[in-house]
Amino acid sequence: MANRRKFLQTSLAGSLAILGAKTGFTSGDQKVVGKPIVISTWDAGLEANKGAWAVLSTGGRALDAVEAGVNITEASKNCCVGLGANPDRDGFVTLDACIMDEAFNCGSVAFLERIKHPVSVARRVMEKTPHVMLVGEGAQKFAIAEGFPLEDGKLSDDAKRAYDSWLKKSDYKPAINIENQKGHGPFAPAILENGEWNHDTIGMVAMDAKGNLSGSCTTSGMGFKMRGRLGDSPIIGAGLYVDNEVGAVTATGQGEDVIRICGAHMVVEFMRNGLTPEAACRKAVERVVKIKGAKVKDIQVAFLALNKKGQIGAFSVHQGFSYAVRSSKEEKLYASKSWFNK
Ligand code: SD4
């Protein structure tokens, strides 16, 4: 146990280097060209991509792939996504998710409680209602009417311990890159003290063999957040955007600062104007940096983009944002370039 603790406490760079040895992790400028392809945020993306790849590699639709992929994360035992995740400050897990296809169809749910697969409910909103977004009680009622079971609402053991620890100080203090340090994947199920373990999300974008793009995003939002708080993840144009002529983008990190700049949409527009995915992500990060001024040192924001040519790119405010790529050529975790330490 002591050894495991020590391992968990190594620097993020060190941790990723260790991970690299196992997964083929690569750092620095890179591009992957080709289809089908799926990319997703953080180290949990490696597992999620497997679900998406099962769809894409057999000729399936990108929309089905991005739903199946993040369903894996929603059902997995981790701090970050789905019902096992950290609660809000009142002790309830509230989930946000959205999905978008190649034809500007989109669906979203937010502040959804006791439903295991919010992204699938978001897809039903997209396909079965005239609306884009349902929240709270209404979203839950809709989910139940659609046949999604109402789960018991109990916190997972890990989330209960994290919440009890957080209650000692009740201090809301998001920690940068916490997803990779102690969140999930190879680093789970460590619990931080005083609620530091409080970022969560998986965003995924994919292009299928026909060249169509889709994306999904699902999260419990910031752990120990104010009750009713929504981040960028369920907001089309902020946490996710897809334009089938141009590209698909997802965001992660401090949602408030992604919403402020309509982040995912901004990155798509930069790509439309000719920037590569990485350059487009970087320009959006620069916007965040400009707006935040000195406060930018305290927040993480990251963008992940795929363009119509099958090129990928990412950029983050701080070092430590990783993303997973799956294509016929590779299955890897990459490190994003970042504003700090670039
Ligand atoms: C939110 N953007 O709720 C999410 C959190 C996140 O990695 O992405 N964490 O603000």
Side-chain angles (χ1 to χ4, degrees), residues 42 96 179 199-201 219-222 229-233 251-256 258:
W42 304 109
D96 303 336
E179 297 88 342
H199 267 246
D200 353 84
T201 289
T219 189
S220 57
M222 301 294 198
R229 178 263 185 195
L230 303 184
D232 59 316
S233 304
T252 184
Q254 179 106 340
E256 285 76 2
V258 177

Side-chain angles (χ1 to χ4, degrees), residues 82-253:
L83 291 177
N86 285 328
D88 64 15
R89 70 181 193 185
D90 291 5
F92 302 101
V93 177
T94 72
L95 302 177
D96 303 336
C98 71
I99 193 161
M100 189 162 185
D101 76 4
E102 74 283 356
F104 298 99
N105 297 306
C106 43
S108 161
V109 289
F111 194 44
L112 177 63
E113 294 176 281
R114 297 174 57 188
I115 300 288
K116 191 171 174 186
H117 287 300
V119 81
S120 298
V121 184
R123 183 167 175 176
R124 300 282 176 94
V125 172
M126 171 175 105
E127 291 178 340
K128 294 197 160 183
T129 80
H131 308 304
V132 166
M133 199 165 190
L134 290 180
V135 304
E137 190 193 336
Q140 191 191 65
K141 271 190 182 158
F142 171 71
I144 293 165
E146 283 295 309
F148 291 86
L150 188 64
E151 308 291 337
D152 65 15
K154 276 198 207 132
L155 293 185
S156 67
D157 291 346
D158 285 347
K160 172 110 182 51
R161 277 193 291 148
Y163 184 53
D164 289 345
S165 158
W166 178 79
L167 280 174
K168 286 180 202 150
K169 267 200 188 169
S170 300
D171 189 15
Y172 180 71
K173 228 203 258 159
I176 289 168
N177 292 330
I178 213 69
E179 297 88 342
N180 271 350
Q181 293 174 45
K182 312 270 166 69
H184 40 64
F187 305 109
I191 305 287
L192 297 187
E193 296 304 311
N194 302 322
E196 286 173 67
W197 181 29
N198 59 9
H199 267 246
D200 353 84
T201 289
I202 183 158
M204 173 178 280
V205 292
M207 180 160 56
D208 59 30
K210 288 188 177 152
N212 283 324
L213 296 165
S214 289
S216 61
C217 194
T218 179
T219 189
S220 57
M222 301 294 198
F224 322 115
K225 61 197 174 186
M226 281 181 73
R227 184 144 178 84
R229 178 263 185 195
L230 303 184
D232 59 316
S233 304
I235 299 178
I236 298 294
L240 179 74
Y241 199 67
V242 179
D243 182 326
N244 206 43
E245 282 186 0
V246 177
V249 176
T250 189
T252 184

